Short mmCIF file of all heavy atoms in Angstrom, two decimals:
data_model
loop_
_atom_site.label_atom_id
_atom_site.label_comp_id
_atom_site.label_asym_id
_atom_site.label_seq_id
_atom_site.Cartn_x
_atom_site.Cartn_y
_atom_site.Cartn_z
N SER T 1 1.22 -5.26 6.92
CA SER T 1 0.55 -4.23 7.71
C SER T 1 -0.93 -4.08 7.35
O SER T 1 -1.67 -3.43 8.07
CB SER T 1 1.27 -2.90 7.55
OG SER T 1 1.32 -2.52 6.21
N MET T 2 -1.36 -4.71 6.26
CA MET T 2 -2.77 -4.66 5.88
C MET T 2 -3.57 -5.72 6.63
O MET T 2 -3.08 -6.82 6.86
CB MET T 2 -2.93 -4.90 4.37
CG MET T 2 -2.34 -3.82 3.51
SD MET T 2 -2.44 -4.21 1.75
CE MET T 2 -4.15 -3.82 1.43
N GLN T 3 -4.79 -5.37 7.01
CA GLN T 3 -5.69 -6.31 7.65
C GLN T 3 -6.66 -6.84 6.61
O GLN T 3 -7.01 -6.15 5.67
CB GLN T 3 -6.48 -5.64 8.77
CG GLN T 3 -5.63 -5.14 9.89
CD GLN T 3 -6.48 -4.41 10.92
OE1 GLN T 3 -7.70 -4.33 10.82
NE2 GLN T 3 -5.83 -3.86 11.92
N ARG T 4 -7.07 -8.07 6.79
CA ARG T 4 -8.02 -8.66 5.86
C ARG T 4 -9.37 -7.94 5.94
O ARG T 4 -9.79 -7.51 7.01
CB ARG T 4 -8.25 -10.14 6.17
CG ARG T 4 -7.04 -10.98 5.87
CD ARG T 4 -7.39 -12.44 6.06
NE ARG T 4 -6.24 -13.27 5.82
CZ ARG T 4 -5.93 -13.78 4.64
NH1 ARG T 4 -6.69 -13.54 3.61
NH2 ARG T 4 -4.85 -14.53 4.49
N ARG T 5 -10.02 -7.84 4.79
CA ARG T 5 -11.36 -7.27 4.65
C ARG T 5 -11.46 -5.79 5.00
O ARG T 5 -12.54 -5.26 5.19
CB ARG T 5 -12.38 -8.05 5.47
CG ARG T 5 -12.51 -9.48 5.04
CD ARG T 5 -13.64 -10.14 5.80
NE ARG T 5 -13.67 -11.55 5.50
CZ ARG T 5 -13.70 -12.49 6.40
NH1 ARG T 5 -13.74 -12.18 7.68
NH2 ARG T 5 -13.72 -13.75 6.05
N LYS T 6 -10.34 -5.12 5.14
CA LYS T 6 -10.36 -3.68 5.38
C LYS T 6 -9.84 -3.00 4.13
O LYS T 6 -8.86 -3.42 3.55
CB LYS T 6 -9.49 -3.31 6.57
CG LYS T 6 -9.58 -1.86 6.91
CD LYS T 6 -8.84 -1.50 8.16
CE LYS T 6 -9.01 0.00 8.38
NZ LYS T 6 -8.09 0.52 9.34
N ARG T 7 -10.52 -1.94 3.73
CA ARG T 7 -10.15 -1.23 2.51
C ARG T 7 -9.29 -0.02 2.85
O ARG T 7 -9.55 0.68 3.82
CB ARG T 7 -11.39 -0.83 1.74
CG ARG T 7 -12.14 -2.06 1.30
CD ARG T 7 -13.34 -1.74 0.47
NE ARG T 7 -14.04 -2.98 0.17
CZ ARG T 7 -14.15 -3.48 -1.05
NH1 ARG T 7 -13.61 -2.86 -2.06
NH2 ARG T 7 -14.79 -4.61 -1.25
N TYR T 8 -8.26 0.17 2.06
CA TYR T 8 -7.30 1.24 2.29
C TYR T 8 -7.17 2.11 1.05
O TYR T 8 -7.21 1.62 -0.07
CB TYR T 8 -5.90 0.67 2.58
CG TYR T 8 -5.83 -0.20 3.81
CD1 TYR T 8 -5.97 -1.58 3.71
CD2 TYR T 8 -5.60 0.35 5.06
CE1 TYR T 8 -5.89 -2.38 4.83
CE2 TYR T 8 -5.52 -0.44 6.18
CZ TYR T 8 -5.67 -1.81 6.07
OH TYR T 8 -5.59 -2.59 7.17
N SER T 9 -6.96 3.40 1.26
CA SER T 9 -6.60 4.27 0.15
C SER T 9 -5.08 4.18 -0.01
O SER T 9 -4.37 3.66 0.85
CB SER T 9 -7.01 5.71 0.45
OG SER T 9 -6.27 6.21 1.54
N PHE T 10 -4.57 4.71 -1.11
CA PHE T 10 -3.13 4.65 -1.33
C PHE T 10 -2.38 5.48 -0.29
O PHE T 10 -1.31 5.09 0.16
CB PHE T 10 -2.78 5.12 -2.75
CG PHE T 10 -1.33 4.95 -3.08
CD1 PHE T 10 -0.84 3.69 -3.41
CD2 PHE T 10 -0.47 6.02 -3.04
CE1 PHE T 10 0.50 3.51 -3.70
CE2 PHE T 10 0.87 5.86 -3.34
CZ PHE T 10 1.35 4.61 -3.67
N SER T 11 -2.95 6.59 0.10
CA SER T 11 -2.29 7.42 1.12
C SER T 11 -2.22 6.68 2.46
O SER T 11 -1.24 6.83 3.20
CB SER T 11 -2.99 8.76 1.27
OG SER T 11 -4.34 8.57 1.63
N GLU T 12 -3.22 5.87 2.78
CA GLU T 12 -3.17 5.07 4.01
C GLU T 12 -2.08 4.00 3.92
O GLU T 12 -1.40 3.72 4.90
CB GLU T 12 -4.53 4.41 4.27
CG GLU T 12 -5.61 5.39 4.69
CD GLU T 12 -6.97 4.72 4.80
OE1 GLU T 12 -7.24 3.75 4.06
OE2 GLU T 12 -7.76 5.19 5.64
N LEU T 13 -1.92 3.42 2.74
CA LEU T 13 -0.84 2.45 2.56
C LEU T 13 0.52 3.11 2.74
O LEU T 13 1.43 2.52 3.33
CB LEU T 13 -0.92 1.79 1.18
CG LEU T 13 -2.12 0.90 0.90
CD1 LEU T 13 -2.08 0.38 -0.53
CD2 LEU T 13 -2.18 -0.26 1.88
N MET T 14 0.65 4.33 2.25
CA MET T 14 1.91 5.07 2.43
C MET T 14 2.16 5.37 3.91
O MET T 14 3.29 5.29 4.37
CB MET T 14 1.87 6.38 1.64
CG MET T 14 1.98 6.22 0.15
SD MET T 14 3.59 5.64 -0.38
CE MET T 14 4.62 7.00 0.11
N GLU T 15 1.12 5.72 4.64
CA GLU T 15 1.27 5.99 6.07
C GLU T 15 1.67 4.74 6.85
O GLU T 15 2.41 4.82 7.82
CB GLU T 15 -0.03 6.56 6.64
CG GLU T 15 -0.35 7.96 6.18
CD GLU T 15 -1.71 8.43 6.65
OE1 GLU T 15 -2.35 7.72 7.46
OE2 GLU T 15 -2.14 9.50 6.19
N MET T 16 1.18 3.59 6.42
CA MET T 16 1.50 2.34 7.12
C MET T 16 2.98 1.99 6.99
O MET T 16 3.52 1.31 7.84
CB MET T 16 0.64 1.18 6.61
CG MET T 16 -0.81 1.31 6.99
SD MET T 16 -1.85 -0.10 6.62
CE MET T 16 -1.41 -0.57 5.00
N THR T 17 3.63 2.46 5.95
CA THR T 17 5.05 2.16 5.78
C THR T 17 5.91 3.07 6.65
O THR T 17 7.10 2.81 6.81
CB THR T 17 5.48 2.33 4.31
OG1 THR T 17 5.31 3.68 3.92
CG2 THR T 17 4.69 1.41 3.41
N GLY T 18 5.33 4.11 7.20
CA GLY T 18 6.07 5.00 8.08
C GLY T 18 7.10 5.84 7.36
O GLY T 18 8.12 6.20 7.94
N GLY T 19 6.89 6.12 6.10
CA GLY T 19 7.84 6.93 5.35
C GLY T 19 9.04 6.15 4.84
O GLY T 19 9.99 6.74 4.34
N ALA T 20 9.00 4.82 4.97
CA ALA T 20 10.13 4.00 4.52
C ALA T 20 10.19 3.89 3.01
O ALA T 20 11.26 3.60 2.46
CB ALA T 20 10.04 2.61 5.14
N LEU T 21 9.07 4.13 2.33
CA LEU T 21 9.03 4.01 0.87
C LEU T 21 8.65 5.33 0.23
O LEU T 21 7.86 6.09 0.77
CB LEU T 21 7.99 2.95 0.46
CG LEU T 21 8.14 1.54 0.99
CD1 LEU T 21 7.00 0.67 0.51
CD2 LEU T 21 9.46 0.95 0.57
N THR T 22 9.22 5.57 -0.94
CA THR T 22 8.79 6.72 -1.72
C THR T 22 7.49 6.34 -2.43
O THR T 22 7.09 5.17 -2.44
CB THR T 22 9.85 7.11 -2.76
OG1 THR T 22 10.01 6.03 -3.69
CG2 THR T 22 11.18 7.42 -2.09
N ILE T 23 6.86 7.32 -3.06
CA ILE T 23 5.60 7.04 -3.76
C ILE T 23 5.82 6.05 -4.89
O ILE T 23 5.03 5.12 -5.08
CB ILE T 23 4.99 8.36 -4.29
CG1 ILE T 23 4.54 9.23 -3.12
CG2 ILE T 23 3.83 8.09 -5.23
CD1 ILE T 23 4.05 10.60 -3.52
N THR T 24 6.90 6.21 -5.62
CA THR T 24 7.19 5.29 -6.73
C THR T 24 7.45 3.88 -6.23
O THR T 24 6.94 2.91 -6.82
CB THR T 24 8.41 5.80 -7.52
OG1 THR T 24 8.18 7.14 -7.93
CG2 THR T 24 8.66 4.93 -8.74
N GLN T 25 8.19 3.74 -5.16
CA GLN T 25 8.46 2.41 -4.60
C GLN T 25 7.18 1.76 -4.10
O GLN T 25 6.97 0.56 -4.30
CB GLN T 25 9.46 2.52 -3.45
CG GLN T 25 10.85 2.87 -3.89
CD GLN T 25 11.77 3.14 -2.70
OE1 GLN T 25 11.32 3.56 -1.63
NE2 GLN T 25 13.06 2.89 -2.89
N ALA T 26 6.32 2.55 -3.47
CA ALA T 26 5.06 2.01 -2.96
C ALA T 26 4.15 1.58 -4.11
O ALA T 26 3.51 0.54 -4.04
CB ALA T 26 4.35 3.03 -2.08
N ARG T 27 4.11 2.38 -5.18
CA ARG T 27 3.29 2.00 -6.34
C ARG T 27 3.76 0.70 -6.95
O ARG T 27 2.97 -0.16 -7.32
CB ARG T 27 3.31 3.11 -7.39
CG ARG T 27 2.45 4.27 -7.03
CD ARG T 27 2.41 5.28 -8.16
NE ARG T 27 1.60 6.42 -7.77
CZ ARG T 27 1.87 7.65 -8.09
NH1 ARG T 27 2.92 7.94 -8.83
NH2 ARG T 27 1.09 8.64 -7.70
N ARG T 28 5.07 0.56 -7.09
CA ARG T 28 5.63 -0.67 -7.64
C ARG T 28 5.33 -1.87 -6.75
O ARG T 28 5.02 -2.96 -7.23
CB ARG T 28 7.13 -0.53 -7.85
CG ARG T 28 7.48 0.35 -9.00
CD ARG T 28 8.98 0.45 -9.18
NE ARG T 28 9.29 1.39 -10.23
CZ ARG T 28 10.45 2.03 -10.34
NH1 ARG T 28 11.39 1.81 -9.45
NH2 ARG T 28 10.65 2.86 -11.33
N ALA T 29 5.45 -1.69 -5.44
CA ALA T 29 5.19 -2.78 -4.50
C ALA T 29 3.72 -3.20 -4.55
O ALA T 29 3.41 -4.39 -4.57
CB ALA T 29 5.59 -2.37 -3.09
N VAL T 30 2.82 -2.22 -4.59
CA VAL T 30 1.39 -2.53 -4.66
C VAL T 30 1.06 -3.22 -5.98
O VAL T 30 0.30 -4.18 -6.02
CB VAL T 30 0.53 -1.26 -4.46
CG1 VAL T 30 -0.92 -1.51 -4.78
CG2 VAL T 30 0.68 -0.76 -3.03
N TYR T 31 1.66 -2.75 -7.07
CA TYR T 31 1.42 -3.37 -8.38
C TYR T 31 1.89 -4.82 -8.38
O TYR T 31 1.19 -5.71 -8.88
CB TYR T 31 2.13 -2.59 -9.49
CG TYR T 31 2.01 -3.24 -10.84
CD1 TYR T 31 0.81 -3.18 -11.54
CD2 TYR T 31 3.08 -3.91 -11.41
CE1 TYR T 31 0.68 -3.80 -12.77
CE2 TYR T 31 2.95 -4.53 -12.64
CZ TYR T 31 1.76 -4.47 -13.31
OH TYR T 31 1.63 -5.09 -14.53
N LYS T 32 3.04 -5.09 -7.79
CA LYS T 32 3.55 -6.46 -7.72
C LYS T 32 2.63 -7.34 -6.87
O LYS T 32 2.35 -8.49 -7.22
CB LYS T 32 4.96 -6.46 -7.16
CG LYS T 32 5.59 -7.82 -7.05
CD LYS T 32 5.84 -8.43 -8.40
CE LYS T 32 6.58 -9.74 -8.24
NZ LYS T 32 6.86 -10.40 -9.48
N LEU T 33 2.11 -6.80 -5.77
CA LEU T 33 1.17 -7.55 -4.94
C LEU T 33 -0.11 -7.85 -5.70
O LEU T 33 -0.72 -8.91 -5.53
CB LEU T 33 0.87 -6.78 -3.65
CG LEU T 33 2.02 -6.65 -2.66
CD1 LEU T 33 1.66 -5.69 -1.54
CD2 LEU T 33 2.40 -8.01 -2.10
N GLN T 34 -0.53 -6.92 -6.56
CA GLN T 34 -1.72 -7.15 -7.37
C GLN T 34 -1.48 -8.24 -8.41
O GLN T 34 -2.35 -9.06 -8.66
CB GLN T 34 -2.16 -5.86 -8.06
CG GLN T 34 -2.78 -4.86 -7.15
CD GLN T 34 -3.13 -3.58 -7.87
OE1 GLN T 34 -2.36 -3.09 -8.70
NE2 GLN T 34 -4.30 -3.04 -7.57
#
């Protein structure tokens, strides 16, 4: 759901999931992607 060269805040990343992930799950997913 992320576009190249566009910067997102963490809250925007949470909104892109549509509420499918909790904050902890989203943090873990972002950390793994990093």
Side-chain angles (χ1 to χ4, degrees):
S1 58
M2 294 176 78
Q3 296 176 4
R4 291 186 182 269
R5 298 186 186 129
K6 184 174 180 195
R7 297 183 183 246
Y8 299 94
S9 66
F10 186 78
S11 59
E12 290 174 329
L13 294 178
M14 287 292 296
E15 289 174 8
M16 291 188 315
T17 63
L21 302 178
T22 64
I23 292 175
T24 305
Q25 290 173 332
R27 283 185 182 142
R28 287 181 184 157
V30 169
Y31 176 74
K32 180 67 175 180
L33 292 171
Q34 287 177 318

